[in-house]
Amino acid sequence: MPLITSDQATEAALRQDGIIPDVLDSFHPRTMLMVSYGNNKEVALGNKLSVQETQHPPQVSFQADSPSDLYTLIMTDPDAPSRKDPQMREYRHWVVANISGTSDFQPANVGQGAVVSPYMGPAPPAGSGPHRYIFLLYKQTPSTNVSALTSPLAPQRQGFKAKQFSSQAHLELVGANYFFAENA
């Protein structure tokens, strides 16, 4: 039986739940992106969390290539208003740039990254089925367009495209994780 690595498991889960190709092109994850809403509410490649337990920004951790590296984190929902009718794809829930590679990212700590778009917890319409809430971790490269990361984003959150945003900012996708939530 072949050994399956965590990066292969991540990519397989992203494909299985349609995140590749709905939101991402195929990529090779280089770090495990760990996301926790506290009290054993871990995001685990497609597990289910309640809307109520995900209303506050989570703690995020990952293994950086180097302590001097900077990262950008995006949380997006490609299923707005529903997976069957994603006419508002994607809904931008959170964007934080300039996260240092030296420590875990805890939103409550001042100075840990620049909030480009404040956290907005999941709020899927009642009866719209499960929504995929995706965390994407990008490494900022020497060619990163810092002004694209620090410029205000459009006030409307719907219609955001993580792939387009990361391309314009010259970011390199290194990790992903996601969960499902719904309002029945």
Side-chain angles (χ1 to χ4, degrees):
M1 176 182 272
L3 178 65
I4 296 179
T5 62
S6 63
D7 59 331
Q8 290 170 322
T10 299
E11 187 173 1
L14 294 169
R15 285 185 187 285
Q16 176 183 329
D17 286 320
I19 294 165
I20 297 173
D22 287 353
V23 177
L24 305 173
D25 292 329
S26 185
F27 81 107
H28 182 72
R30 292 196 348 232
T31 188
M32 237 177 150
L33 179 58
M34 294 161 286
V35 181
S36 174
Y37 283 96
N39 296 327
N40 295 322
K41 303 299 181 201
E42 304 290 325
V43 174
L45 293 177
N47 62 326
K48 292 180 182 168
L49 297 175
S50 75
V51 169
Q52 294 76 22
E53 61 199 9
T54 57
Q55 290 306 297
H56 300 285
Q59 180 175 347
V60 178
S61 60
F62 56 92
Q63 184 66 46
D65 291 337
S66 165
S68 62
D69 289 339
L70 294 175
Y71 294 83
T72 296
L73 178 73
I74 294 174
M75 179 185 172
T76 187
D77 170 7
D79 302 325
S82 72
R83 193 162 180 186
K84 290 180 182 176
D85 182 26
Q87 59 186 302
M88 291 189 275
R89 175 177 286 164
E90 300 161 33
Y91 197 90
R92 182 182 73 240
H93 280 267
W94 198 23
V95 180
V96 182
N98 299 327
I99 300 169
S100 169
T102 59
S103 63
D104 293 346
F105 174 64
Q106 298 181 19
N109 292 349
V110 176
Q112 283 194 327
V115 176
V116 179
S117 188
Y119 184 85
M120 177 181 279
S128 65
H131 286 231
R132 300 167 290 175
Y133 292 91
I134 306 162
F135 292 91
L136 303 168
L137 182 68
Y138 296 89
K139 183 177 178 181
Q140 295 174 206
T141 67
S143 62
T144 292
N145 179 349
V146 177
S147 66
L149 294 178
T150 57
S151 297
L153 295 173
Q156 76 275 3
R157 291 175 179 250
Q158 71 273 8
F160 178 75
K161 302 288 185 242
K163 191 185 317 184
Q164 181 180 6
F165 176 82
S166 63
S167 176
Q168 290 172 346
H170 303 285
L171 300 171
E172 178 187 354
L173 184 61
V174 294
N177 204 341
Y178 66 102
F179 68 95
F180 286 92
E182 71 179 299
N183 271 324

